[in-house]
Amino acid sequence: MPEEEKLVNYYSCSYWKGKVPRQGWMYLSINHLCFSSFLMGREAKLVIRWVDITQLEKNATLLLPDVIKVSTRSSEHFFSVFLNINETFKLMEQLANIAMRQLLDNEGFEQDRSLPKLKKKSPKKVSALKRDLDARAKSERYRALFRLPKDEKLDGHTDCTLWTPFNKMHILGQMFVSTNYICFTSKEENLCSLIIPLREVTIVEKADSCSVLPSPLSISTRNRMTFLFANLKDRDFLVQRISDFLQQTTSRIYSDREFSGSCNSSDDEVYSRPSSLVSSSPQRSTSSDPDGERAFNLNGNSVPTATQTLMTMYRRRSPEEFNPKLAKEFLKEQAWKIHFAEYGQGICMYRTEKTRELVLKGIPESMRGELWLLLSGAINEKATHPGYYEDLVEKSMGKYNLATEEIERDLHRSLPEHPAFQNEMGIAALRRVLTAYAFRNPNIGYCQAMNIVTSVLLLYAKEEEAFWLLVALCERMLPDYYNTRVVGALVDQGVFEELARDYVPQLYDCMQDLGVISTISLSWFLTLFLSVMPFESAVVVVDCFFYEGIKVIFQLALAVLDANVDKLLNCKDDGEAMTVLGRYLDSVTNKDSTLPPIPHLHSLLSDDVGPYPAVDIFRLIGTSYEKFGTIRADLIEQMRFKQRLKVIQTLEDTTKRNVVRTIVTETSFTIDELEELYALFKAEHLTSCYWGGSSNALDRHDPSLPYLEQYRIDFEQFKGMFVLLFPWACGTHSDVLASRLFQLLDENGDSLINFREFVSGLSAACHGDLTEKLKLLYKMHVLPEPSSDQDEPDSAFEATQYFFEDITPECTHGKRANSQENRNYLKLWTAENKSKSKNAKDLPKLNQGQFIELCKTMYNMFSEDPNEQELYHATAAVTSLLLEIGEVGKFFITQPAKEDGVTGPPCSQAIPGMLFPKKGPSQPYTMESADPLPASLAVDSEEHSLGGQMEDIKLEDSSPRDNGACSSMLISDDDTKDDSSMSSYSVLSAGSHEEDKLHCEDIGEDTVLVRSSQGTATLPRSSSLDRDWAITFEQFLASLLTEPALVKYFDKPVCMMARVTSAKNIRMLGKPLTSASDYEISALSG
């Protein structure tokens, strides 16, 4: 493991390999589960990535009461004999959850550095990461229990009693203290709970102790409520902590009169409405501006802005027609007012069993918005973010992206039957809320079904309140429901299937055969029954949901199935079952509703069957609590974890299959090879997320892109994969070659390549025919230099001059970046790659500098091949042939340099002296395999003639590399006779006639070319290469075909599965292993 991998904890346990247990240690780190055992001279090791785990279960058998089963796609592993299996399993669940979150939205793990240090007298040493994860788990439970904002962190909790004035009792429970809240819940479930935001607290004081009330603590709030806690063990410390948090909160207190009046006052004004319902003037909102109020118009004056809830504005009813229902509605309002008088009002009220009873009977129309805000916890986020919604609307309006396009498309499909959304005011409000949320949370953006839920929120809550209710729904109460793959809804669908198996077993098999559960659950859960029930009944479900959470939805869904057991058992297919359930849900009525009946989809379906008998919504909810009320929130969370592993890994497998199916026709790889390559490619991306990379992980993963382009890797990651997978990776030249290939594959020039681009390059290099492989090699070198050093821009500049005729020789030869030329050239390549009918004649010619780089690549390519010498000789012959072809080719091209009075030297005459060994009498060619060749030549010359006159030339290395690549010097044989560390090179090509040999005036018979270990050029450089010298791809191909050794080398088959297996083992264990799987235990004898 690298240093970045941090150990969380380790536990003693046994690992079962077959029927034999191996006692050892389980190591749990952020990204891996590892096991190590060393017994009787035999070592066993196991490494499993959390992202590969598909199932994690705690089982009990007769022989082994406590077993943890860990499943991956390819194997199952069993661990037992734990000292504390519950602690171990909880930690494993947490770490697997973090891994799933990484797969889902690319979030890496960030350690919380704000945890307090352990006391010196602490009895148990616990790692900082373990403490961090424990604190996170407690904070998550705390936030879920009291519906608090996502960033709230629990500081501590203690046992205490709370004096409840409504029944004159001391209730035993626990007090929880966090940065911004003090909360209390009774030991007895649903007896009493309390939430006190510190922004509401005015006084915290220690009262006098007595035998009846030991260690009391009094907390007073702004709405004149006082809470008395007692039996506090460490009262002084607790008061100090609360005081510290209060001081931090004071600076953030937001005193908004409207908020205080609507949520904290004890009189009836909380529900009074302003007389003005519609205002076309800009709204005023208090903000933190030093100048006081600032004008703000949510619409840009184009549409009147609703200053009230849409239900209030568009309620159409005749009093005489609905009098009995209005009377019942009035009685409900009075019951709530009595409840407020007795239990308190606003965020700080006592929440008891009586509160739940009132919610289950239905919240009055006039109070629904305020109570939704209160029960969901959205009121806290609204209070602590004044002006946030307005700023968001201001920034988001007028901007367009994929989310806003989808929003516009769905606006008129949101409750179209309701009068509030049959005009521009309701539509505009819905547009603003949905667009603002899409900009707040781009990971979700917009998902279908959000429009239906939001339109109902807007009917009962003001615009900003509806926005914060939507935030609470999407980010806390229905986690991951509305992301691009509706993962949360699929997870709860799996939970619902498990619950159906346990609670309606007689129906489960039938429903599975028909495939109905997966169909109904998505539509029921995503819209909270709003799309499948009459509106006036569905809002009662939403009432209960905001109070009880997701368990209400599960209970209700089970109650619907239970009520239709007989009919569903007689259904022949899924269509018939859906009709039965649709007709039943459509018959659910709310007899207490004061709203005019709104036609619903199912009621519009005409068939010969008579109307379904009416089902009262309150009776249905009551039945769901009676039969299925034992479902607990913590049980649902456990089941969600199990299903989340299954769902996310299934989605990942589906993505992989889609990618492979799309790309298999474009490459020479088999389906199995592509699947393994995709897994390796994705693993490389994920590894960089938690072990660091040169580019931002979020830039490399975009879930909105097509499957093929979602995961992308940068050059550093590509370089690692190039060395592991590509057959041409060899020696010190690999990085340069990887850079050239990366530049070629990166068609859009964003310095990232996706899986399709990666596979296209790998396929050509491994499974392409001889022509394809050579074409790829040629194209890699015909590109401009991938990274040119600042002090030597000439070679890259010359290369671009060769390809772009509009760049004249008069252009400045100073220091300049070549990024623009590269981009232009990559555009040409993109167009060329998209043209499938392209042939070899379309490839640009290779100039002199690029040819030298190609030779350099070929020499380094063979450094580890068993036929090394033979390949060197063949390459020397091919290179000399190409040099001569290039020289001859100069006779057939015009020389634009002459027109400008600029002449180029015959640089190619010096190339043999750089590329080929010096040949003595009856000596074979010899070549140092590890010595890279100079990248280019520099020549000083005044004249140039086609006859090949002898010129003064100097050799130099104009492309020094970071790894200490060679530069060239000229020294005589006399200087090297006693120096065994020097290696000599000969200067003439094989097979050339004596009279045709190229001569260099300054290079005598006793001169050799050697490598300088200094890596610096010792001779002056020139400003240009021979611009006219060039070869084509056809010439390169034809020349190489003359050498059987090279043909055999490039035709050699590559076993990709063996390379992938080796790469996986190197990635997982840091060394190549012989095992076929990275999950396999390797037992090595000691």
Side-chain angles (χ1 to χ4, degrees), residues 290-353:
D291 300 329
E293 294 185 336
R294 64 187 175 114
F296 181 74
N297 186 356
L298 293 173
N299 292 296
N301 293 319
S302 60
V303 179
T305 303
T307 60
Q308 213 32 267
T309 65
L310 295 177
M311 184 61 80
T312 309
M313 300 169 60
Y314 291 98
R315 176 178 294 172
R316 298 182 303 184
R317 66 185 184 194
S318 53
E320 58 277 359
E321 187 182 344
F322 293 104
N323 266 338
K325 293 185 177 180
L326 283 175
K328 200 162 188 179
E329 184 80 358
F330 177 74
L331 288 175
K332 279 187 183 179
E333 290 181 11
Q334 291 305 310
W336 274 98
K337 288 178 181 178
I338 293 167
H339 181 78
F340 290 146
E342 191 175 349
Y343 294 90
Q345 190 170 347
I347 186 72
C348 298
M349 74 177 183
Y350 295 96
R351 300 164 196 232
T352 65
E353 188 67 34

Coordinates of all heavy atoms in Angstrom, one line a residue, residues 290-353:
P290 N -25.4 46.4 4.1 CA -25.3 47.5 5.1 C -26.3 48.6 4.9 O -26.7 49.3 5.8 CB -23.8 48.0 4.9 CG -23.5 47.6 3.6 CD -24.2 46.3 3.3
D291 N -26.7 48.8 3.7 CA -27.7 49.9 3.4 C -29.1 49.5 3.8 O -30.0 50.3 3.5 CB -27.6 50.2 1.9 CG -26.3 50.6 1.5 OD1 -25.5 51.2 2.3 OD2 -25.9 50.4 0.3
G292 N -29.3 48.4 4.3 CA -30.7 48.0 4.7 C -31.3 47.1 3.6 O -30.7 46.2 3.2
E293 N -32.6 47.5 3.3 CA -33.3 46.6 2.3 C -32.8 46.8 0.9 O -32.3 47.9 0.5 CB -34.8 46.9 2.4 CG -35.4 46.5 3.7 CD -36.9 46.7 3.7 OE1 -37.4 47.6 2.9 OE2 -37.6 46.1 4.5
R294 N -32.9 45.8 0.1 CA -32.5 45.9 -1.3 C -33.6 45.4 -2.2 O -34.3 44.5 -1.8 CB -31.2 45.2 -1.6 CG -31.3 43.7 -1.5 CD -30.0 43.0 -1.6 NE -30.1 41.6 -1.4 CZ -29.9 40.7 -2.3 NH1 -29.6 41.0 -3.5 NH2 -30.0 39.4 -2.0
A295 N -33.8 46.1 -3.3 CA -34.9 45.7 -4.2 C -34.5 44.4 -4.9 O -33.4 44.2 -5.3 CB -35.2 46.7 -5.2
F296 N -35.5 43.5 -5.0 CA -35.3 42.2 -5.7 C -36.5 41.7 -6.3 O -37.6 41.6 -5.7 CB -34.8 41.2 -4.7 CG -34.5 39.9 -5.3 CD1 -33.3 39.7 -6.1 CD2 -35.3 38.8 -5.2 CE1 -33.0 38.5 -6.7 CE2 -35.0 37.6 -5.8 CZ -33.9 37.5 -6.6
N297 N -36.4 41.5 -7.6 CA -37.6 41.0 -8.3 C -37.3 39.6 -8.9 O -36.4 39.4 -9.7 CB -38.0 41.9 -9.5 CG -39.2 41.5 -10.2 OD1 -39.8 40.5 -9.9 ND2 -39.7 42.3 -11.1
L298 N -38.0 38.6 -8.5 CA -37.8 37.2 -8.9 C -38.1 37.0 -10.4 O -37.7 36.0 -10.9 CB -38.6 36.3 -8.0 CG -38.2 36.2 -6.5 CD1 -39.2 35.3 -5.8 CD2 -36.8 35.7 -6.4
N299 N -38.8 37.9 -11.0 CA -39.2 37.6 -12.4 C -38.6 38.6 -13.4 O -38.9 38.4 -14.6 CB -40.7 37.8 -12.5 CG -41.4 36.7 -11.7 OD1 -41.3 35.5 -12.1 ND2 -42.1 37.0 -10.6
G300 N -37.9 39.6 -13.0 CA -37.5 40.6 -13.9 C -38.7 41.4 -14.5 O -38.7 41.8 -15.6
N301 N -39.7 41.6 -13.6 CA -40.9 42.4 -14.0 C -41.7 41.9 -15.1 O -42.7 42.5 -15.5 CB -40.4 43.9 -14.4 CG -39.8 44.6 -13.2 OD1 -40.3 44.5 -12.1 ND2 -38.8 45.3 -13.4
S302 N -41.4 40.7 -15.6 CA -42.2 40.1 -16.7 C -43.5 39.5 -16.2 O -44.5 39.5 -16.9 CB -41.4 39.1 -17.5 OG -41.0 38.1 -16.6
V303 N -43.5 38.9 -15.0 CA -44.6 38.2 -14.5 C -44.9 38.6 -13.1 O -43.9 38.8 -12.3 CB -44.4 36.7 -14.5 CG1 -45.6 35.9 -14.0 CG2 -44.1 36.2 -15.9
P304 N -46.1 38.8 -12.7 CA -46.4 39.2 -11.3 C -45.9 38.1 -10.3 O -46.1 36.9 -10.6 CB -47.9 39.4 -11.2 CG -48.4 38.7 -12.4 CD -47.4 38.8 -13.4
T305 N -45.3 38.5 -9.2 CA -44.8 37.5 -8.2 C -45.8 37.3 -7.2 O -46.4 38.2 -6.6 CB -43.5 38.1 -7.6 OG1 -42.6 38.4 -8.6 CG2 -42.9 37.1 -6.7
A306 N -46.0 36.0 -6.9 CA -46.9 35.6 -5.8 C -46.3 35.9 -4.5 O -45.2 35.5 -4.2 CB -47.3 34.1 -5.9
T307 N -47.0 36.7 -3.6 CA -46.5 36.9 -2.3 C -47.1 36.0 -1.3 O -46.9 36.1 -0.1 CB -46.8 38.4 -1.9 OG1 -48.2 38.6 -1.9 CG2 -46.1 39.4 -2.8
Q308 N -47.9 35.1 -1.8 CA -48.6 34.2 -0.9 C -48.6 32.8 -1.5 O -48.2 32.6 -2.6 CB -50.1 34.7 -0.7 CG -50.7 34.4 0.7 CD -49.7 34.4 1.8 OE1 -49.1 33.4 2.1 NE2 -49.4 35.6 2.3
T309 N -49.1 31.8 -0.7 CA -49.2 30.5 -1.3 C -50.2 30.4 -2.4 O -51.2 31.1 -2.4 CB -49.5 29.5 -0.2 OG1 -50.9 29.7 0.3 CG2 -48.6 29.6 1.0
L310 N -49.9 29.5 -3.4 CA -50.8 29.5 -4.5 C -52.1 28.9 -4.2 O -53.1 29.3 -4.8 CB -50.1 28.6 -5.6 CG -48.8 29.1 -6.2 CD1 -48.2 28.1 -7.2 CD2 -49.0 30.4 -6.9
M311 N -52.2 28.1 -3.1 CA -53.5 27.5 -2.8 C -54.5 28.6 -2.2 O -55.7 28.6 -2.5 CB -53.3 26.4 -1.7 CG -54.6 25.7 -1.2 SD -55.4 24.8 -2.6 CE -54.4 23.4 -2.6
T312 N -53.9 29.5 -1.5 CA -54.7 30.6 -1.0 C -55.2 31.5 -2.1 O -56.4 31.9 -2.1 CB -53.8 31.5 -0.1 OG1 -53.2 30.7 0.9 CG2 -54.7 32.5 0.7
M313 N -54.4 31.7 -3.1 CA -54.8 32.6 -4.2 C -55.8 31.9 -5.2 O -56.6 32.6 -5.8 CB -53.5 33.0 -5.0 CG -52.5 33.7 -4.2 SD -50.9 33.8 -5.1 CE -51.5 34.8 -6.5
Y314 N -55.7 30.6 -5.3 CA -56.5 30.0 -6.4 C -57.6 29.0 -5.8 O -58.1 28.2 -6.4 CB -55.6 29.2 -7.3 CG -54.8 30.1 -8.2 CD1 -53.5 30.4 -7.9 CD2 -55.4 30.7 -9.3 CE1 -52.7 31.3 -8.6 CE2 -54.6 31.6 -10.0 CZ -53.3 31.9 -9.7 OH -52.6 32.8 -10.5
R315 N -57.9 29.2 -4.5 CA -58.9 28.4 -3.9 C -60.3 28.9 -4.4 O -60.6 30.1 -4.2 CB -58.8 28.5 -2.3 CG -60.0 27.7 -1.6 CD -59.8 27.8 -0.1 NE -58.6 27.1 0.3 CZ -58.1 27.1 1.5 NH1 -58.7 27.8 2.4 NH2 -57.0 26.4 1.8
R316 N -61.0 28.0 -4.9 CA -62.4 28.3 -5.4 C -63.4 27.4 -4.7 O -63.4 26.2 -4.9 CB -62.5 28.1 -7.0 CG -61.5 29.0 -7.8 CD -61.7 28.7 -9.2 NE -61.5 27.3 -9.6 CZ -61.5 26.9 -10.8 NH1 -61.7 27.7 -11.8 NH2 -61.4 25.6 -11.1
R317 N -64.2 28.0 -3.9 CA -65.2 27.2 -3.2 C -66.4 28.1 -2.9 O -66.2 29.3 -2.6 CB -64.6 26.6 -2.0 CG -64.3 27.6 -0.9 CD -63.6 26.9 0.3 NE -63.3 27.9 1.4 CZ -62.5 27.6 2.4 NH1 -61.9 26.4 2.4 NH2 -62.3 28.5 3.3
S318 N -67.5 27.5 -2.9 CA -68.7 28.3 -2.4 C -69.1 27.8 -1.0 O -69.3 26.6 -0.7 CB -69.9 27.9 -3.4 OG -70.1 26.5 -3.4
P319 N -69.1 28.8 -0.1 CA -69.3 28.4 1.3 C -70.5 27.6 1.6 O -70.5 26.6 2.4 CB -69.4 29.8 2.0 CG -68.7 30.7 1.1 CD -69.0 30.2 -0.3
E320 N -71.7 27.8 0.9 CA -72.9 27.1 1.2 C -72.7 25.6 0.8 O -73.3 24.7 1.4 CB -74.1 27.7 0.5 CG -74.0 27.8 -1.0 CD -73.3 29.1 -1.4 OE1 -72.8 29.8 -0.6 OE2 -73.1 29.3 -2.6
E321 N -71.9 25.3 -0.2 CA -71.8 24.0 -0.7 C -70.9 23.1 0.2 O -71.1 21.9 0.4 CB -71.2 24.0 -2.1 CG -71.1 22.6 -2.8 CD -70.5 22.6 -4.1 OE1 -70.3 23.7 -4.7 OE2 -70.1 21.6 -4.6
F322 N -69.9 23.7 0.8 CA -69.0 22.9 1.6 C -69.1 23.2 3.1 O -68.1 23.0 3.9 CB -67.5 23.3 1.2 CG -67.2 22.8 -0.2 CD1 -67.2 23.7 -1.3 CD2 -67.0 21.5 -0.5 CE1 -66.9 23.3 -2.5 CE2 -66.7 21.0 -1.8 CZ -66.7 21.9 -2.8
N323 N -70.2 23.7 3.6 CA -70.3 24.0 5.0 C -70.0 22.9 6.0 O -69.2 23.1 6.9 CB -71.7 24.5 5.3 CG -71.8 26.1 5.2 OD1 -70.7 26.7 5.3 ND2 -72.9 26.6 4.9
P324 N -70.5 21.7 5.8 CA -70.1 20.6 6.8 C -68.6 20.4 6.8 O -68.0 20.2 7.8 CB -70.9 19.4 6.2 CG -72.0 20.0 5.4 CD -71.4 21.2 4.8
K325 N -68.0 20.4 5.6 CA -66.6 20.1 5.6 C -65.8 21.3 6.2 O -64.8 21.1 6.8 CB -66.1 19.9 4.1 CG -66.7 18.6 3.5 CD -66.1 18.4 2.1 CE -66.7 17.0 1.6 NZ -66.1 16.8 0.2
L326 N -66.3 22.5 5.9 CA -65.6 23.7 6.5 C -65.7 23.6 8.0 O -64.8 24.0 8.7 CB -66.3 25.0 6.0 CG -65.9 25.4 4.6 CD1 -66.6 26.6 4.1 CD2 -64.4 25.7 4.5
A327 N -66.8 23.1 8.5 CA -66.9 23.0 10.0 C -65.9 22.0 10.5 O -65.3 22.3 11.6 CB -68.4 22.5 10.3
K328 N -65.7 20.9 9.8 CA -64.7 19.9 10.3 C -63.3 20.5 10.2 O -62.5 20.3 11.1 CB -64.9 18.7 9.4 CG -64.3 17.4 10.1 CD -64.8 16.2 9.4 CE -64.3 15.0 10.2 NZ -64.8 13.7 9.6
E329 N -63.1 21.3 9.1 CA -61.8 21.9 8.9 C -61.5 22.9 10.1 O -60.4 23.0 10.6 CB -61.7 22.6 7.6 CG -60.4 23.3 7.3 CD -59.4 22.3 6.7 OE1 -59.7 21.1 6.7 OE2 -58.2 22.7 6.4
F330 N -62.6 23.6 10.5 CA -62.5 24.6 11.6 C -62.1 23.9 12.9 O -61.3 24.3 13.7 CB -63.8 25.4 11.7 CG -63.8 26.4 12.8 CD1 -63.1 27.5 12.8 CD2 -64.5 26.1 14.0 CE1 -63.0 28.4 13.8 CE2 -64.5 27.0 15.1 CZ -63.7 28.1 15.0
L331 N -62.8 22.7 13.1 CA -62.5 21.9 14.3 C -61.0 21.5 14.3 O -60.4 21.4 15.4 CB -63.4 20.7 14.4 CG -64.9 21.1 14.7 CD1 -65.8 19.8 14.6 CD2 -65.0 21.7 16.1
K332 N -60.5 21.1 13.2 CA -59.1 20.7 13.1 C -58.2 21.8 13.5 O -57.2 21.6 14.2 CB -58.8 20.2 11.7 CG -59.2 18.8 11.3 CD -58.6 18.4 10.0 CE -59.1 17.0 9.6 NZ -58.5 16.7 8.2
E333 N -58.5 23.0 13.0 CA -57.7 24.2 13.3 C -57.7 24.4 14.8 O -56.7 24.7 15.4 CB -58.2 25.4 12.5 CG -57.9 25.3 11.0 CD -58.4 26.5 10.3 OE1 -58.7 27.5 10.9 OE2 -58.4 26.5 9.0
Q334 N -58.9 24.4 15.4 CA -59.0 24.6 16.8 C -58.2 23.6 17.6 O -57.6 23.9 18.6 CB -60.5 24.6 17.2 CG -61.3 25.7 16.7 CD -60.7 27.1 17.1 OE1 -60.4 27.3 18.3 NE2 -60.5 28.0 16.1
A335 N -58.2 22.3 17.1 CA -57.5 21.3 17.8 C -56.0 21.6 17.8 O -55.3 21.4 18.8 CB -57.7 19.9 17.2
W336 N -55.5 22.1 16.7 CA -54.1 22.4 16.6 C -53.7 23.6 17.5 O -52.7 23.7 18.1 CB -53.7 22.7 15.2 CG -53.3 21.4 14.4 CD1 -54.1 20.7 13.6 CD2 -52.0 20.8 14.5 NE1 -53.4 19.6 13.1 CE2 -52.1 19.6 13.6 CE3 -50.8 21.0 15.1 CZ2 -51.1 18.7 13.4 CZ3 -49.8 20.1 14.9 CH2 -49.9 19.0 14.1
K337 N -54.7 24.6 17.6 CA -54.4 25.8 18.4 C -54.4 25.4 19.9 O -53.6 25.9 20.6 CB -55.5 26.8 18.1 CG -55.3 27.5 16.7 CD -56.4 28.5 16.4 CE -56.2 29.1 15.1 NZ -57.2 30.1 14.7
I338 N -55.3 24.5 20.3 CA -55.2 24.0 21.6 C -53.9 23.3 21.9 O -53.3 23.4 23.0 CB -56.5 23.1 21.9 CG1 -57.8 23.9 21.8 CG2 -56.3 22.4 23.2 CD1 -59.0 23.0 21.8
H339 N -53.5 22.5 20.9 CA -52.2 21.8 21.1 C -51.1 22.7 21.2 O -50.2 22.5 22.1 CB -52.0 20.9 19.8 CG -50.8 20.1 19.9 ND1 -50.7 18.9 20.6 CD2 -49.5 20.2 19.3 CE1 -49.4 18.4 20.5 NE2 -48.7 19.2 19.7
F340 N -51.1 23.8 20.4 CA -50.0 24.8 20.5 C -50.0 25.5 21.9 O -48.9 25.7 22.5 CB -50.1 25.9 19.5 CG -49.8 25.3 18.1 CD1 -50.5 25.8 17.0 CD2 -48.9 24.4 17.9 CE1 -50.3 25.4 15.7 CE2 -48.6 23.9 16.6 CZ -49.3 24.4 15.5
A341 N -51.2 25.8 22.4 CA -51.3 26.4 23.7 C -50.7 25.5 24.8 O -50.1 26.0 25.8 CB -52.8 26.8 24.0
E342 N -50.9 24.2 24.7 CA -50.5 23.3 25.7 C -49.1 22.8 25.6 O -48.3 22.7 26.6 CB -51.4 22.1 25.7 CG -51.3 21.1 26.9 CD -52.3 20.0 26.8 OE1 -53.3 20.0 26.0 OE2 -52.2 19.1 27.7
Y343 N -48.6 22.6 24.3 CA -47.3 22.0 24.1 C -46.3 23.0 23.5 O -45.1 22.6 23.3 CB -47.4 20.8 23.1 CG -48.2 19.7 23.7 CD1 -49.6 19.6 23.5 CD2 -47.6 18.7 24.4 CE1 -50.3 18.5 24.0 CE2 -48.3 17.6 24.9 CZ -49.7 17.5 24.8 OH -50.4 16.5 25.3
G344 N -46.7 24.2 23.3 CA -45.8 25.2 22.8 C -45.9 25.3 21.3 O -46.5 24.4 20.6
Q345 N -45.4 26.3 20.7 CA -45.6 26.5 19.2 C -44.2 26.9 18.6 O -43.3 27.4 19.2 CB -46.5 27.7 19.0 CG -47.0 27.9 17.6 CD -48.1 28.9 17.5 OE1 -48.7 29.2 18.5 NE2 -48.4 29.3 16.3
G346 N -44.1 26.5 17.3 CA -42.9 26.8 16.6 C -41.9 25.7 16.8 O -42.2 24.6 17.2
I347 N -40.7 26.0 16.4 CA -39.6 25.0 16.4 C -39.3 24.3 17.7 O -38.9 23.2 17.8 CB -38.3 25.6 15.8 CG1 -37.2 24.6 15.6 CG2 -37.8 26.7 16.7 CD1 -37.4 23.6 14.4
C348 N -39.6 25.1 18.8 CA -39.3 24.6 20.2 C -40.4 23.8 20.9 O -40.3 23.6 22.1 CB -38.8 25.7 21.1 SG -37.3 26.6 20.4
M349 N -41.4 23.5 20.1 CA -42.6 22.9 20.8 C -42.2 21.4 21.2 O -41.4 20.8 20.6 CB -43.8 22.9 19.9 CG -43.8 21.9 18.8 SD -45.4 22.0 17.9 CE -45.1 20.7 16.7
Y350 N -42.9 20.9 22.3 CA -42.8 19.5 22.7 C -43.5 18.7 21.7 O -44.7 18.9 21.4 CB -43.5 19.3 24.1 CG -42.8 20.1 25.2 CD1 -43.3 21.3 25.6 CD2 -41.7 19.5 25.9 CE1 -42.7 22.0 26.7 CE2 -41.1 20.2 26.9 CZ -41.6 21.4 27.3 OH -41.0 22.1 28.4
R351 N -42.8 17.7 21.1 CA -43.4 16.8 20.1 C -43.7 15.5 20.8 O -42.8 14.8 21.3 CB -42.4 16.6 19.0 CG -42.1 17.9 18.3 CD -40.8 17.8 17.4 NE -40.3 19.1 17.0 CZ -40.1 19.5 15.8 NH1 -40.3 18.7 14.8 NH2 -39.6 20.7 15.6
T352 N -45.0 15.1 20.9 CA -45.4 14.0 21.6 C -46.3 13.1 20.8 O -46.5 13.3 19.6 CB -46.2 14.4 22.9 OG1 -47.4 15.1 22.4 CG2 -45.5 15.4 23.7
E353 N -46.8 12.0 21.4 CA -47.7 11.1 20.7 C -49.0 11.9 20.2 O -49.5 11.6 19.2 CB -48.1 10.0 21.7 CG -48.9 8.9 21.1 CD -48.1 8.1 20.1 OE1 -46.9 7.9 20.3 OE2 -48.7 7.6 19.1

